[in-house]
Structures are given as structure tokens and as C-alpha cells.
Amino acid sequence: MSTAAGTRRRLVLAGGTIGFGFGAVIDTVVFHLTFQTHHLLSGYYDPYSLDGLRTNVMFDGLFLVATLGITLVGLGLLWRLVNGTAERFSTRYLLGAIVVGAGVFNVYDGIVDHYVLDLHNVVHGTEAWNPPWVVVSVLLLVLGLVLLRTADGPVLTADTE
């Protein structure tokens, strides 16, 4: 039998894992591959040379596969939690956990990848967009925490709709 606190932790873990992976997938597809401004290793491989671009796109693809794997792990955790239960889970609480996970990924990316490891910048050749990236990432994290705090709880009862 699971406790409410255990269910809450499991739902935050599942949603957070989904959000972390899916936030990275969105980042990779939109910024790395579509806009081509944010290649994973552009701090090491020149994205303006053909060899550098090919290397960056290869690593972007490998990163995309890994982050899809993380997303699938989160979906598996969620499936294990909700499969076979009669409980109704709060969509808002799950969404909050997913947004927190995406925020954690983006804060990590903005601080560790952009500043500590210097893997890449938001826009190649300039650090000007790095601080706004971190600010938006923190706001995303805060939004997720607000959603978690204002949700009715992870599990809905007949009285909470």
C-alpha cells in the first residue's frame, strides 16, 4: 500500500524525468537542429566549417537519442505508477512536475553547459544570450514549482475535481 507522500514523490519523479528529457528534446530540435544556433559542442567544433557542422549535428543527434531515452524512462515510471490503480491523478500536479523537470534541464544547460564546461552558447559566437537563457530557465522552473504548489495534490478524490 502506498502512502500519499510516496505517491507524490513517485509522481514528481516520473513527471520530472519526463520534463527533463522532453525539455532537452525540445531544445535539441528547436535550437540545435532547426535554428542551428546552439549546437551541442560548438564551443569545441567550429559550426561554420563543414566538418565542424557535421560533427556538431552528429553529437546533437546522439544527444537527442539519449534525451528521448530519458523521456521514455519517465513515461515508464509514470506507467508503473498509474497502471492498475483506481486513483485519479491531478493533471495540474503532473504538469507541474513536467515543467519543473524541463526547468531543471534548462537551468543545468544554461549554467553548466554554457558557463562551466563552455560547450556552447545560446547563439554561436556570442555570450550575450546566455544570461537571458538562464533567466528564462529559472522562470520555467519557478512556474513548475507554482503549478505543484497550487495543485489540489497528486491524487484526486471524489471531492476534488
Side-chain angles (χ1 to χ4, degrees):
M1 177 173 285
S2 78
T3 65
T7 300
R8 183 173 46 250
R9 280 192 302 274
R10 289 178 66 195
L11 191 56
V12 167
L13 177 63
T17 304
I18 292 166
F20 188 91
F22 194 62
V25 166
I26 291 170
D27 173 66
T28 305
V29 170
V30 172
F31 294 102
H32 296 228
L33 300 175
T34 304
F35 294 145
Q36 297 187 6
T37 62
H38 193 83
H39 290 297
L40 185 65
L41 297 178
S42 59
Y44 295 98
Y45 299 101
D46 179 12
Y48 298 113
S49 72
L50 181 58
D51 285 340
L53 179 62
R54 291 182 70 199
T55 301
N56 274 291
V57 170
M58 182 198 62
F59 280 106
D60 290 342
L62 293 173
F63 183 69
L64 180 59
V65 169
T67 58
L68 281 170
I70 292 169
T71 305
L72 290 174
V73 167
L75 289 169
L77 292 171
L78 181 62
W79 176 258
R80 288 193 66 196
L81 179 62
V82 301
N83 189 32
T85 183
E87 295 176 313
R88 291 185 58 225
F89 292 90
S90 167
T91 302
R92 185 176 188 149
Y93 196 85
L94 177 61
L95 181 62
I98 291 170
V99 173
V100 164
V104 167
F105 167 77
N106 280 294
V107 168
Y108 174 87
D109 180 46
I111 294 172
V112 176
D113 293 347
H114 297 182
Y115 290 109
V116 176
L117 299 176
D118 197 26
L119 293 179
H120 60 264
N121 292 306
V122 175
V123 175
H124 302 308
T126 180
E127 294 179 4
W129 289 98
N130 290 351
W133 181 274
V134 172
V135 169
V136 169
S137 300
V138 169
L139 291 174
L140 184 64
L141 180 58
V142 169
L143 173 65
L145 292 171
V146 168
L147 286 170
L148 283 175
R149 297 278 293 166
T150 59
D152 291 329
V155 180
L156 297 176
T157 63
D159 297 338
T160 58
E161 299 245 359

